[in-house]
Amino acid sequence: MRVHVVRSVVVGALAVGAALTVAACATLSEKDCLQGDWRAIGYIDGADGRAMSRIEDHAKACQKTGVTPDMSLYAQGRDQGLMRYCTEANGFRVGREGHSYVGVCPPPVEPEFLGGYADGERVHAAERRLSSARSDLSSADARADKRARQADGVEDELRNPKLTDEQTRELRDRLQRLRRERREAIEDGRRAEYAIRDAEREVDDLKARYAPHYGWW
């Protein structure tokens, strides 16, 4: 009997979830409010790790329809959703994707969730460092290329025989500055390459460490 109830809640939650995707501005659409499948709505929020206060947002969304959320059914569905959310594997996913945890898991299962969450946060931080280093390298390369093109343009200008001494001096000063900035950009790129290698090793080490337990991602 319990399995049948849970299955019914999940099916209802899938239907409500599809409608919520359309109603992006409000937590619930008018149709959802009128249908009032509060157990399914609670299940979705629980499976998403939402706090109980989420029902207050639903109440505001349903004000115009005159519908008041059924707190009891919502809580029942949310508790079932939390059973799906509060697992070690899901904690790892939540942490790896950089999502926050708002303390919704019941005490008996929270330590297991938090263990996975902490592992996921380590992976997320390492992947962010790798992404940042790659972005730094791309930026440094673009800056070096730009300064090289600008320096070539100044060199072309210096070939003009009609330049005054002052113009020549100004162009040479500019050329020196561009060359110096290009060297600095190249050095920044080298540092970024070192950071990329370090971050790649860290990410690979974490994958080798966690994949046997959580699976590849």
Side-chain angles (χ1 to χ4, degrees):
M1 179 66 178
R2 179 176 176 82
V3 174
H4 176 71
V5 172
V6 173
R7 185 181 297 113
S8 297
V9 172
V10 173
V11 171
L14 290 174
V16 173
L20 289 180
T21 303
V22 177
C25 296
T27 59
L28 294 176
S29 68
E30 181 178 345
K31 181 180 179 182
D32 294 326
C33 294
L34 293 173
Q35 286 180 341
D37 193 348
W38 292 106
R39 191 192 298 268
I41 294 168
Y43 180 88
I44 290 174
D45 288 348
D48 284 344
R50 300 278 189 177
M52 188 66 186
S53 58
R54 179 69 168 178
I55 197 171
E56 297 173 6
D57 298 327
H58 296 329
K60 292 177 182 178
C62 294
Q63 278 180 343
K64 292 182 179 180
T65 65
V67 173
T68 301
D70 187 316
M71 184 73 73
S72 177
L73 289 176
Y74 178 86
Q76 291 173 24
R78 179 174 173 274
D79 286 345
Q80 292 173 348
L82 286 176
M83 292 174 61
R84 175 180 174 183
Y85 178 83
C86 298
T87 65
E88 184 184 34
N90 192 58
F92 179 78
R93 179 193 64 81
V94 173
R96 182 177 58 80
E97 293 179 358
H99 301 311
S100 59
Y101 169 61
V102 296
V104 296
C105 293
V109 295
E110 187 174 52
E112 186 176 356
F113 174 89
L114 289 177
Y117 184 76
D119 292 342
E121 281 192 314
R122 293 187 190 97
V123 174
H124 177 71
E127 289 180 334
R128 283 195 64 179
R129 284 191 286 273
L130 177 56
S131 177
S132 178
R134 286 172 173 168
S135 177
D136 289 344
L137 176 59
S138 178
S139 176
D141 287 346
R143 196 164 70 251
D145 288 343
K146 182 177 181 180
R147 293 297 181 266
R149 292 193 302 272
Q150 291 173 327
D152 289 342
V154 172
E155 288 178 339
D156 288 340
E157 291 184 59
L158 281 170
R159 295 189 183 95
N160 185 351
K162 297 181 180 180
L163 291 175
T164 65
D165 290 343
E166 182 178 357
Q167 289 173 327
T168 299
R169 184 167 55 255
E170 289 177 352
L171 286 171
R172 285 176 176 169
D173 289 344
R174 185 184 177 197
L175 180 60
Q176 289 179 355
R177 176 176 58 81
L178 290 170
R179 286 173 173 171
R180 182 181 67 254
E181 291 177 354
R182 179 175 180 271
R183 289 194 298 271
E184 291 171 352
I186 291 173
E187 187 58 34
D188 287 344
R190 287 174 181 155
R191 283 193 289 269
E193 288 176 343
Y194 296 144
I196 288 173
R197 286 197 287 271
D198 289 342
E200 284 178 338
R201 280 195 295 269
E202 184 180 11
V203 169
D204 288 343
D205 288 345
L206 288 172
K207 284 185 176 181
R209 177 181 176 183
Y210 293 137
H213 188 66
Y214 298 107
W216 293 101
W217 60 88

